[in-house]
Amino acid sequence: MSTIKEPSFRESVDLMFNRAVALMDLPPGLEEKIRVCNATYTVRFGVRLRGEIQTFTGYRSVHSEHMEPVKGGIRFAPSVNQDEVEALAALMTYKCALVEAPFGGSKGGLCINPWEYEEHELELVTRRFAYELAKRDLINPSQNVPAPDMGTGEREMAWIADQYARMNTTDINARACVTGKPLNAGGISGRVEATGRGVQYALKEFFRDPRDVEKAGLAGSLDGKRIIVQGLGNVGYHAAKFLSQENGAVIIGIIERDGGLFNASGLDVDAVHQWLAKHGGISGYPDATHSENGAALLEEECDILIPAALEGVINLTNAERIKAPLIIEAANGPVTAGADDILRKKGTVIIPDMYANAGGVTVSYFEWVKNLSHIRFGRMQRRQEEARHQLVVDQLESLSDAMGKTWSPSPDFKQKYLRGADELELVRSGLDDTMRIAYQSMREVWHDRADVNDLRTAAYLVSINKVAASYRAKGL
Ligand code: NAD
């Protein structure tokens, strides 16, 4: 085991940032301005629960306000701390710039173990946290817009939105104060699956260029690729589900809090997910080998490793033993800066977090726009689109009649062609486009610059350039 001290999460992000800016020609003052976290608010508040007052500590960190509102999820976990929230806020700045979501970076967290509380207790705590943030404009449709993260989901976002609306009864845009809400409370179709879906689109784009696939020492397409996933929560579950059910990948390993499951011929992701929901863990799942030391499964042979749980899991203690030639960082910060150095030297290709999990903020952006425009995507165009397509089909049919021929398209052609796009299709199309374009911008730097040997540095270069351009344009 290495005796070198691992940097903190925020230091790790800064080290990666520094590696990229060393290759840029930014004025030192601007470089520093972009790196630092603008503000972090700590709130401590009491909630009366089970007959006594419990004090909770929460954070909301604003990394960069080069664009507003700032955006970033709220995490509920006992380990939440200022360093972590600031690291995550910085990643949000770079992520939003990379995928051209017009936001600055922010992040929030509450020190709580959500599993220890009843639903009504969590609602009280969440509403009180939202109140503390909203009264300081740290939740606000035009200034700071949270979203789900680890330990939070649609339910918490609905409570936050409602709390904000109660405090701002005349704000017509109140629903845009938070994203990731349920559909019936101002959410958007496809948000829950968005981050996992983005991981799928990212891998699809990676496999479109044989040069990239070759760099990872792989060949062919996603079909048949062996994948190990850590964390079967929102992000990991959706990524694993789509990759196995739609792209032919084989999920050979799943790691959760209580260990790892392995089955060389493939795990049924939905079945494991249902088992996890029912039993609170994966142990006892029948169609796989279970080992208590889940982290050891990270080191198992596979084609693609998807850490989708928490930060720092690939670090100085295990990086050397990681065998996967391709890692896609679905979680934020799963690979520490030290581990990143080791893996790069080994030739492991890493698709970095700021790109890989940007699907969530991308669809959050669509939700925010939907809330501000007060109309569902596709509502105006859908039937008109169908009517125009019907005209084409009618014309083709009458043309073939006139020629004395029978027009016989494939059975589902008419059904597919005539259907106007609904909100979910539009969201997926916008997400796919975003993930492709952002990857292509990284790929260009990765391939074209002799001094850039990895996708993470390429991602930082693209995003820091965008943030710098923003500061230059508007002044400080
Ligand atoms: P989640 O709470 O839905 O899921 C996390 C999963 O990881 C849970 O199933 C949990 O049991 C598991 N887990 C926790 N500790 C573990 C451990 N030590 N080993 C193995 N598994 C463990 O959270 P999520 O929303 O899926 O977020 C996961 C990661 O993705 C986080 O890093 C988060 O910041 C990042 N992320 C999430 C979103 C989003 O839209 N939810 C967007 C971008 C990035």
Side-chain angles (χ1 to χ4, degrees), residues 75 88 95 107 115 148-152 191-192 195 230-236 255-259 276 308-311 313 330-333 357-358 360-361:
R75 176 176 286 196
L88 291 165
K95 190 180 304 185
K107 200 81 183 191
W115 315 110
D149 194 75
M150 228 166 87
T152 60
R191 174 60 184 90
V192 175
T195 311
Q230 184 189 40
L232 206 65
N234 179 307
V235 180
I255 308 165
E256 258 294 327
R257 280 174 297 178
D258 61 334
L276 176 64
L310 65 168
E311 58 264 22
V313 291
N332 282 306
N357 65 36
V361 75

Side-chain angles (χ1 to χ4, degrees), residues 45 74 92 127 164 179 206 263 324 344 357 372 389 391-392 399 409 434 441 465 472:
F45 57 88
I74 290 185
M92 282 307 296
R127 282 184 180 278
Y164 180 86
T179 57
F206 178 87
N263 183 339
R344 264 184 301 121
N357 65 36
L372 294 178
H389 287 180
L391 275 178
V392 174
L399 194 68
T434 304
S441 68
N465 262 324
R472 281 201 194 96

Side-chain angles (χ1 to χ4, degrees), residues 33-34 36 38 62-67 70 93 104-105 467 471:
K33 175 67 209 76
I34 297 173
V36 297
N38 287 2
V62 176
H63 175 260
S64 176
E65 290 146 296
H66 66 288
M67 284 200 189
V70 293
T93 296
V467 178
Y471 273 123

